[in-house]
Amino acid sequence: MSDHHFWLSDKQFARLQPLLPNKPRGVPRVDDRRVISGIIHVIRNGLMWKDAPPVYGPHKTLYNRFVRWSAAGVFDRIFAELASESTAADTVMIDATHLKAHRTAASCKKGAAPRRIGRTKGGLNSKLHAVCDGDGKPLILLLTEGQVSDYEGAKHIFEHLPPEATTLIADRGYDADWLRDALRDCDIAPCIPPRANRIEPVDYNADVYKRRNLVERMFGRLKDWRRISMRYDRCAHTFMSAICIAATIMFWL
């Protein structure tokens, strides 16, 4: 067994196994540990599915399992379940980053399911919005088109903030009165520097704001996985599953 192949450790798989779908009837499912390890290896190294190492079994098995579980939301639920166990959610950070889309991801028939790919000055890309806890671990992930603004993404995320949150740190892209008011209504203190063109001045805690680098570092670690830094998946749900898998492995297992 080559050292460069990824394998879930005993501890990781023991934590993951109770969260996997049950298969009460029919032919037993192909070894979960081997297949999931193969899926992770492909996503982390940016491989085509047909180039998956034979040690993980047939590449079609890896691909079919990934697509089927992605459509069923399995990887999203696993991430959400593990992230809900955070013990540092009193201070949270929100930010967004662009993920460039390869031309193969943009080639899709008209009328298909939403792809969450848009066009910006940097070309075709998607945008990943995220909320991290005080340890820099992702709690909430949202995929949108690349041209969606930061505060527009915050509208969709706001109602899912952890109930124990008391402080939210964000950059100037989130400087909006509605967001500040909504946070205060939920007893969450906003730590957001004002935009340069803001008419009414606002105060923020500069020392607390220094912690915002944690969310930037989280994005950097996610982009170390090649099928995330460059999007090859046509379907939004499969790309989102790849992101959830990376976040789960790096931060929650």
Side-chain angles (χ1 to χ4, degrees):
M1 187 180 298
S2 177
D3 292 338
H4 73 273
H5 294 142
F6 176 88
W7 292 99
L8 288 166
S9 67
D10 292 340
K11 183 178 179 180
Q12 288 175 323
F13 187 67
R15 184 69 186 88
L16 190 64
Q17 192 172 23
L19 304 176
L20 300 178
N22 293 322
K23 193 177 188 301
R25 301 186 304 274
V27 179
R29 197 163 59 207
V30 176
D31 181 39
D32 286 330
R33 185 174 185 175
R34 187 185 70 190
V35 172
I36 296 173
S37 295
I39 291 171
I40 293 169
H41 183 88
V42 168
I43 296 172
R44 189 180 66 171
N45 293 284
L47 304 179
M48 297 178 68
W49 291 101
K50 66 179 181 179
D51 294 330
V55 68
Y56 297 116
H59 70 271
K60 288 186 178 180
T61 300
L62 306 184
Y63 175 76
N64 290 338
R65 179 81 61 88
F66 175 68
V67 171
R68 186 170 65 252
W69 281 9
S70 294
V74 171
F75 301 111
D76 304 54
R77 289 196 296 271
I78 290 174
F79 165 76
E81 177 70 23
L82 295 175
S84 67
E85 300 176 0
S86 171
T87 58
D90 54 336
T91 298
V92 296
M93 290 143 273
I94 186 171
D95 205 355
T97 188
H98 287 97
L99 303 171
K100 191 170 181 60
H102 191 269
R103 61 180 180 81
T104 57
S107 59
C108 193
K109 294 181 180 179
K110 293 183 178 180
R115 294 174 296 161
R116 305 289 183 244
I117 295 176
R119 186 178 295 277
T120 65
K121 291 181 180 179
L124 293 174
N125 53 59
S126 299
K127 197 169 190 179
L128 179 64
H129 306 259
V131 173
C132 289
D133 66 11
D135 293 332
K137 297 180 179 180
L139 299 175
I140 303 170
L141 298 172
L142 173 68
L143 189 68
T144 68
E145 293 79 4
Q147 72 273 15
V148 173
S149 65
D150 290 352
Y151 60 82
E152 187 67 27
K155 289 182 179 179
H156 299 285
I157 286 177
F158 179 78
E159 62 183 22
H160 301 291
L161 291 176
E164 60 268 36
T166 58
T167 302
L168 182 137
I169 306 172
D171 63 19
R172 289 180 173 84
Y174 296 89
D175 179 23
D177 290 335
W178 72 264
L179 180 57
R180 294 177 183 275
D181 293 340
L183 289 170
R184 293 191 182 101
D185 289 342
C186 295
D187 295 324
I188 300 175
C191 183
I192 307 173
R195 293 176 184 266
N197 61 352
R198 171 174 274 279
I199 298 176
E200 298 180 2
V202 294
D203 294 327
Y204 74 101
N205 190 320
D207 291 330
V208 173
Y209 184 72
K210 292 178 181 178
R211 299 182 63 187
R212 198 188 69 83
N213 72 89
L214 291 173
V215 67
E216 297 283 1
R217 285 154 59 184
M218 183 276 295
F219 282 138
R221 291 185 65 186
L222 283 178
K223 289 182 179 181
D224 285 339
W225 289 45
R226 294 185 178 181
R227 285 187 73 101
I228 294 174
S229 61
M230 173 65 73
R231 175 177 173 175
Y232 296 98
D233 296 278
R234 292 186 177 92
C235 298
H237 66 81
T238 54
F239 185 52
M240 189 63 195
S241 291
I243 296 171
C244 287
I245 289 171
T248 298
I249 295 300
M250 286 192 290
F251 298 101
W252 296 111
L253 287 182

